[in-house]
């Protein structure tokens, strides 16, 4: 980025912070407990708790005391349909059948036993991988009961909502939506007016695992003497100097054609192992949006001429990533399992950085070099926070279908389900999560844990990408795949012109 572009970028960030009332900021004061120390308990990220009560001042009740569910014997099943959306879904959702010694499995099983013994509720998870949207929408459209709750992708959940097939969760007072165990960001970024159709919360770690991050190889970082040049990666994050420009600067010139076949492949060395979506979530890393959601009211930022120019300039910068020979785009490899190939390049020390969703870190259990985690870099220094995208294609929020006979009782059970995922006496799901990551060599120190929590505090959901209003994310993906950016201006201009009509159509369906 040249100086003129940098000046525009700084102006951009200032405007965005003014226009995006729902933007997420990092709580750097959060100092989570260190699960690597005996007896410590990891807590849910502070960024989930803008409305919750996290302390006890005088006679003030703690959140745990304030929202503790009343024990009841419901004597019923809680049937939840879950979308098989990549990865080991059993690790995140499915009911366990016994204690196995696996940390997360045992936490899930302990929760199941707790719900059965204290609420008379048998949680039944049904995983569907084949056309789950059709299997749900068709009978729901006919007014038939299918399940008590559904966890489709964010994209599919909005489709169900547009067709009137989901309950408005904001009307169910049994859900304490301001509590920290219900994620606040999705409520602000996916709200439609005063209505909320889907939630994320501490009942699963799936959305955390689907948060985009940057992994770095400490051995290579040391080899290139970057500790001397830049300081530690965590120091850069803390000082707000961890930027996209700096990451690209570090990766510059690292490509090596190891097998001399003149083809970038999985045997070569790179500065960054990225992916074709990287230019888009690098854009979101600036804090900008194409559509802002302010308390449920949508604003087409791309229709404003000043904002459009700033948005275009940023995309023009981030899209250059797709043409950089120092960056491997795994989807362009000719191997069948390109995600495993991408992990192997990083695991075996042939890349300094790996940009990916956090779930990919679980593939690195055999990595000999120490690696760490960073948020998606900022677009400019001191922009006021980091923004780590959770794609609407990947996360699976919880919803309640409109044919559920007693939605209030179902909501009451889901409230207990989520509450005790955090506040079970024998350890929460987050305890298990951090312990699992300690064993995966990601949380070796308290600083690693703090960085992971900072990432979770920085989560951002993108309304436009999830609802497919403008189609910009898909268009950029196609351009990155083709390696041809000549149509960037005309494509963005065209999508900008059609955006208002598409947003109006979406809101009409939602009404």
């Amino acid at each position: 980025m040249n100086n003129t572009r940098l000046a525009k970028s700084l102006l951009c960030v200032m405007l965005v912070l003014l226009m995006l009332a729902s933007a997420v900021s990092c709580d750097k004061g959060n100092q989570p407990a260190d699960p690597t120390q005996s007896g410590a308990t990891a807590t849910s990220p502070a960024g989930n708790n803008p409305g919750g009560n996290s302390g006890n001042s005088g006679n003030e009740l703690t959140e745990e005391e304030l929202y503790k569910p009343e024990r009841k014997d419901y004597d019923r099943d809680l049937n939840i349909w879950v979308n098989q959306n990549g990865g080991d879904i059993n690790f995140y959702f499915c009911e366990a059948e016994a204690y196995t010694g696996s940390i997360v499995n045992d936490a899930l099983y302990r929760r199941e036993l707790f719900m059965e013994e204290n609420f008379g509720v048998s949680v039944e998870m049904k995983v569907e991988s084949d056309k789950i949207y059709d299997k749900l929408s068709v009978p729901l459209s006919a007014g038939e009961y299918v399940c008590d709750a559904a966890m489709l992708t964010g994209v599919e959940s909005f489709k169900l909502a547009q067709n009137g097939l989901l309950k408005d969760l904001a009307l169910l007072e049994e859900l304490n939506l301001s509590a920290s165990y219900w994620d606040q960001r999705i409520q602000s970024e996916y709200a439609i007016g005063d209505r909320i159709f889907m939630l994320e919360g501490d009942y699963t770690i799936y959305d955390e695992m689907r948060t985009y991050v940057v992994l770095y190889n400490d051995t290579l970082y040391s080899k290139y003497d970057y500790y001397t040049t830049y300081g530690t990666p965590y120091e850069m994050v803390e000082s707000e100097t961890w930027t996209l420009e700096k990451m690209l600067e570090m990766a510059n010139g690292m490509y090596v054609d190891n097998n001399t076949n003149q083809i970038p492949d999985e045997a070569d060395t790179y500065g960054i192992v990225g992916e074709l979506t990287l230019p888009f979530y690098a854009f979101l890393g600036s804090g900008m949006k194409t559509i802002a959601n302010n308390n449920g009211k949508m604003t087409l930022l791309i229709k404003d001429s000043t904002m459009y120019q700033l948005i275009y300039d940023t995309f023009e910068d981030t899209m250059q990533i797709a043409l950089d020979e120092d960056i491997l785009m795994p989807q362009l490899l000719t191997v069948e399992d390109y995600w495993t190939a991408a992990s192997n390049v990083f695991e075996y020390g042939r890349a300094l950085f790996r940009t990916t969703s956090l779930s990919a870190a679980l593939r690195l259990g055999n990595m000999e070099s120490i690696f760490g985690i960073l948020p998606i870099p900022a677009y400019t220094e001191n922009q006021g926070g980091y923004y780590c995208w959770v794609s609407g294609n990947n996360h699976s929020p919880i919803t309640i279908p409109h044919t559920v006979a007693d939605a209030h009782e179902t909501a009451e059970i889901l409230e207990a389900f989520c509450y005790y995922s955090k506040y079970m006496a024998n350890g929460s799901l987050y305890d298990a999560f951090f312990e699992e990551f300690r064993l995966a060599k990601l949380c070796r120190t308290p600083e690693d844990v703090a960085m992971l929590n900072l990432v979770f505090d920085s989560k951002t959901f993108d309304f436009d990408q999830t609802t497919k209003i403008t189609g910009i994310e898909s268009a950029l993906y196609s351009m990155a795949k083709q390696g041809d950016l000549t149509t960037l201006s005309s494509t963005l201009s065209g999508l900008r012109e059609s955006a208002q009509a598409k947003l109006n159509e979406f809101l009409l369906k939602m009404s």
Side-chain angles (χ1 to χ4, degrees):
M1 289 181 283
N2 58 34
N3 291 334
T4 301
R5 180 63 56 78
L6 181 59
K8 286 183 178 180
S9 300
L10 291 172
L11 174 62
C12 161
V13 173
M14 293 173 63
L15 285 173
V16 168
L17 291 177
L18 289 171
M19 297 184 73
L20 297 183
S22 63
V24 180
S25 62
C26 297
D27 178 11
K28 291 185 174 60
N30 177 36
Q31 294 297 324
D34 175 19
T36 67
Q37 301 298 318
S38 176
T41 300
T43 59
S44 177
N48 283 352
N49 191 24
N53 180 4
S54 59
N56 191 342
S57 176
N59 296 323
E60 191 175 354
L61 293 175
T62 66
E63 179 184 87
E64 183 175 3
E65 295 167 331
L66 180 63
Y67 293 137
K68 188 173 184 178
E70 178 185 351
R71 303 290 176 88
K72 293 183 180 181
D73 185 5
Y74 292 97
D75 190 25
R76 56 165 283 190
D77 293 341
L78 180 69
N79 294 304
I80 304 176
W81 277 31
V82 180
N83 181 37
Q84 172 69 59
N85 188 32
D88 183 6
I89 205 74
N90 294 301
F91 183 78
Y92 309 108
F93 292 120
C94 295
E95 67 256 57
E97 297 180 355
Y99 288 117
T100 65
S102 173
I103 298 168
V104 175
N105 173 88
D106 289 358
L108 293 172
Y109 186 57
R110 184 165 60 249
R111 182 179 63 186
E112 287 179 26
L113 293 179
F114 184 91
M115 292 298 295
E116 289 179 359
E117 293 169 0
N118 292 278
F119 293 95
V121 172
S122 176
V123 180
E124 304 290 338
M125 296 279 192
K126 181 180 180 181
V127 176
E128 286 285 345
S129 58
D130 183 29
K131 297 181 179 179
I132 183 174
Y133 176 81
D134 293 336
K135 289 181 179 180
L136 271 174
S137 63
V138 172
L140 290 179
S141 297
E144 301 174 13
Y145 166 83
V146 181
C147 56
D148 300 304
M151 297 180 190
L152 278 65
T153 65
V155 172
E156 293 167 327
S157 297
F158 263 124
K159 288 181 181 179
L160 290 176
Q162 285 184 73
N163 291 318
L165 303 180
L166 296 179
K167 295 285 188 180
D168 178 2
L169 303 181
L171 297 178
L172 302 176
E173 64 273 11
E174 294 80 8
L175 297 171
N176 294 309
L177 297 183
S178 64
S180 68
Y181 45 84
W182 293 114
D183 191 289
Q184 302 301 306
R185 283 166 295 268
I186 190 172
Q187 294 182 51
S188 63
E189 296 193 42
Y190 281 1
I192 307 295
D194 58 359
R195 293 172 293 165
I196 298 172
F197 294 97
M198 62 196 84
L199 294 170
E200 291 285 2
D202 288 359
Y203 60 88
T204 181
I205 58 175
Y206 193 60
D207 60 316
E208 279 80 10
M209 295 297 291
R210 289 300 194 169
T211 304
Y212 281 89
V213 298
V214 177
L215 305 175
Y216 72 92
N217 183 316
D218 187 74
T219 300
L220 292 181
Y221 195 88
S222 298
K223 175 183 175 181
Y224 289 99
D225 200 27
Y226 284 165
Y227 279 101
T228 301
T229 307
Y230 300 103
T232 74
Y234 292 170
E235 285 171 348
M236 281 193 293
V237 173
E238 181 65 25
S239 65
E240 299 186 16
T241 59
W242 169 238
T243 63
L244 178 63
E245 186 175 19
K246 190 161 290 183
M247 183 175 75
L248 296 176
E249 178 182 298
M250 293 180 187
N252 185 49
M254 284 194 177
Y255 176 70
V256 179
D257 185 8
N258 291 325
N259 53 9
T260 65
N261 63 356
Q262 299 183 343
I263 299 173
D265 58 28
E266 64 276 16
D268 295 340
T269 297
Y270 302 86
I272 302 171
V273 179
E275 55 188 303
L276 293 176
T277 321
L278 173 56
F280 181 74
Y281 60 80
F283 164 80
L284 293 180
S286 70
M288 278 189 283
K289 303 277 190 181
T290 50
I291 300 178
N293 189 342
N294 298 302
N295 299 316
K297 181 180 179 181
M298 312 307 158
T299 303
L300 276 169
L301 298 182
I302 59 172
K303 293 297 289 184
D304 178 271
S305 57
T306 301
M307 282 304 303
Y308 175 74
Q309 187 60 51
L310 294 170
I311 289 169
Y312 176 83
D313 287 346
T314 307
F315 275 131
E316 191 175 39
D317 278 339
T318 62
M319 284 300 291
Q320 296 303 315
I321 294 170
L323 306 180
D324 193 330
E325 71 170 3
D326 293 308
I327 303 176
L328 170 65
M329 298 299 186
Q331 296 98 323
L332 302 181
L333 294 174
T334 57
V335 296
E336 183 175 352
D337 188 355
Y338 48 79
W339 293 124
T340 295
S343 291
N344 288 342
V345 171
F346 182 75
E347 181 174 358
Y348 296 114
R350 298 195 299 276
L352 174 62
F353 296 115
R354 170 85 168 100
T355 68
T356 183
S357 66
L358 187 59
S359 58
L362 293 180
R363 295 174 177 258
L364 304 174
N366 296 321
M367 186 168 176
E368 294 183 1
S369 297
I370 293 175
F371 66 95
I373 181 175
L374 303 170
I376 297 302
Y379 186 58
T380 61
E381 292 188 4
N382 302 306
Q383 71 177 22
Y386 297 96
Y387 301 87
C388 300
W389 183 42
V390 183
S391 169
N393 294 319
N394 293 339
H395 76 107
S396 297
I398 199 163
T399 63
I400 298 179
H402 76 121
T403 55
V404 172
D406 192 341
H408 289 278
E409 183 178 270
T410 296
E412 199 170 66
I413 294 171
L414 287 176
E415 171 69 17
F417 184 63
C418 194
Y419 173 94
Y420 281 107
S421 294
K422 179 174 183 178
Y423 290 123
M424 275 193 301
N426 293 328
S428 71
L429 193 56
Y430 266 82
D431 291 324
F433 169 83
F434 278 106
E435 178 65 10
E436 182 76 28
F437 264 60
R438 182 186 68 81
L439 295 178
K441 300 193 299 183
L442 190 58
C443 291
R444 306 173 311 281
T445 69
E447 289 76 18
D448 292 331
V449 178
M451 190 58 55
L452 200 58
N453 265 327
L454 183 146
V455 165
F456 296 156
D457 285 347
S458 306
K459 282 190 301 183
T460 185
F461 300 85
D462 187 58
F463 173 82
D464 185 18
Q465 184 270 334
T466 304
T467 57
K468 311 298 182 186
I469 299 294
T470 67
I472 284 177
E473 184 264 336
S474 297
L476 296 181
Y477 183 97
S478 297
M479 272 185 270
K481 189 172 184 178
Q482 295 297 323
D484 182 2
L485 307 184
T486 57
T487 62
L488 179 63
S489 179
S490 59
T491 298
L492 291 183
S493 178
L495 294 175
R496 176 194 185 199
E497 292 306 314
S498 61
Q500 188 66 63
K502 290 183 178 179
L503 178 60
N504 292 343
E505 180 183 5
F506 170 84
L507 294 175
L508 181 61
K509 288 181 179 179
M510 292 300 295
S511 67

